[in-house]
Amino acid sequence: MLRTSASRVLDDSDRDEVLALLDTDPVANVFVSSRVRAVGLNPARLGGQMWGFGPRGGLVSLCYAGANMVPVSAGPEAVHAFADRARKQGRRCSSIVGPVDAVSLLWERLEPYWGRARAIRWAQPVMVTSRKPLVPADPLVRRVRPDEFDILLPACVAMFTEEVGVSPNLGDGGALYRTRVAELIRIGRSYARIENGKVVFKAEVGAVTPQACQIQGVWVDPELRGRGHAAAGMAAVVEAAMDCFAPLVTLYVNDYNRSARAVYRKVGFAEVDTFMSVLF
């Protein structure tokens, strides 16, 4: 077994050092970086803890431990330290997600204590683009208005259920999920094509930093798939994201979703990394 230094819980005094580390890979770290930039490192605002690891008090690796557990720049020694803290604390997250090498090792260490996962997505290509879309954008894709919440919500629930395998309405009846959907609409990061009160295509820009933004929740009405709505809709969202948020646009997708990967490549995305997700 590796000998490891202990991890430590970070606070706002570590913010600059944390952001400098996150900025070394703005695409892979966009989610964690967006959280830190938005609310800092105080656990009450962050919705969890940020753990740091490094020799003699330095900082070379991080682990966001909130609703999701996300290792950052974590080699084997850091992963072992984070796993030790997570084992002692007990599972509080609904998923572990991040670079495949770190997540696979983290899960190897935690599974004997946390028990079986509900699902494991072993390979999720991370894709990125920094150029104008290669296909024409759908001119009917636009920002969703607050008064269209009730129209958008069923599509969001359908997307989440299809992607994750469980309904977001379980547990708290969907209250937290509805709050998140409403918030993305309010801040202008929810996009859709809506016709006759029905969502044809939708996607959200879920995380934003000055360097990169992450698209999530891509969905096309199952009755309308295969008609080009996904590519044209994604082109519209990419254009909007580059104009409004950041020069790099990224997302990650399950490796077995070949149709989605083909759509994203058609729009101009390239695969640059691989994530892994453990779902509880």
Side-chain angles (χ1 to χ4, degrees):
M1 180 180 295
L2 292 176
R3 289 184 174 272
T4 68
S5 303
S7 63
R8 60 188 177 95
V9 178
L10 305 178
D11 59 30
D12 281 331
S13 67
D14 301 294
R15 184 178 186 274
D16 290 346
E17 193 174 3
V18 166
L19 287 176
L21 180 54
L22 291 167
D23 286 348
T24 62
D25 192 341
V27 169
N29 300 333
V30 61
F31 167 74
V32 176
S33 183
S34 70
R35 292 289 298 154
V36 175
R37 292 177 190 277
V39 300
L41 293 168
N42 182 290
R45 296 192 302 272
L46 187 62
Q49 295 179 337
M50 186 73 76
W51 303 337
F53 175 86
R56 293 179 296 279
L59 198 60
V60 298
S61 303
L62 305 168
C63 187
Y64 171 71
N68 308 304
M69 178 172 286
V70 187
V72 172
S73 300
E77 194 173 359
V79 168
H80 282 244
F82 295 145
D84 187 55
R85 181 177 288 274
R87 176 182 59 80
K88 293 175 182 176
Q89 177 177 276
R91 183 175 72 81
R92 301 180 182 178
C93 60
S94 61
S95 68
I96 307 172
V97 60
V100 61
D101 289 345
V103 172
S104 60
L105 182 57
L106 190 57
W107 181 233
E108 179 182 309
R109 295 280 291 175
L110 289 174
E111 183 178 16
Y113 305 97
W114 284 10
R116 294 183 61 184
R118 179 176 58 80
I120 299 178
R121 309 290 166 80
W122 293 100
Q124 298 174 302
V126 177
M127 307 183 76
V128 67
T129 184
S130 60
R131 58 182 176 174
K132 179 180 175 65
L134 302 180
V135 299
D138 185 344
L140 298 181
V141 170
R142 56 172 176 78
R143 278 181 167 147
V144 178
R145 301 189 307 266
D147 65 289
E148 295 173 312
F149 172 82
D150 288 336
I151 295 173
L152 184 70
L153 182 62
C156 293
V157 171
M159 176 283 305
F160 187 100
T161 304
E162 183 177 342
E163 173 67 21
V164 179
V166 296
S167 170
N169 294 328
L170 296 177
D172 65 354
L176 188 62
Y177 187 72
R178 289 195 299 273
T179 298
R180 178 59 174 164
V181 171
E183 175 65 7
L184 288 172
I185 294 174
R186 186 188 68 80
I187 61 178
R189 285 166 31 189
S190 179
Y191 294 84
R193 174 173 176 167
I194 299 174
E195 294 182 349
N196 301 317
K198 186 176 181 180
V199 175
V200 174
F201 163 91
K202 75 155 203 80
E204 294 84 43
V205 181
V208 173
T209 74
Q211 299 95 336
C213 59
Q214 185 179 73
I215 295 177
Q216 64 180 39
V218 180
W219 183 86
V220 175
D221 183 334
E223 296 181 359
L224 301 175
R225 293 176 184 176
R227 303 185 188 182
H229 289 300
M234 281 297 296
V237 176
V238 167
E239 286 187 353
M242 288 180 174
D243 288 343
C244 301
F245 303 118
L248 294 173
V249 182
T250 184
L251 54 82
Y252 62 98
V253 59
N254 293 317
D255 63 338
Y256 54 77
N257 194 342
R258 295 181 180 179
S259 60
R261 292 169 69 186
V263 164
Y264 302 148
R265 285 193 294 267
K266 184 177 181 180
V267 173
F269 286 86
E271 297 181 5
V272 296
D273 200 354
T274 303
F275 273 11
M276 172 181 167
S277 294
V278 181
L279 309 177
F280 303 106

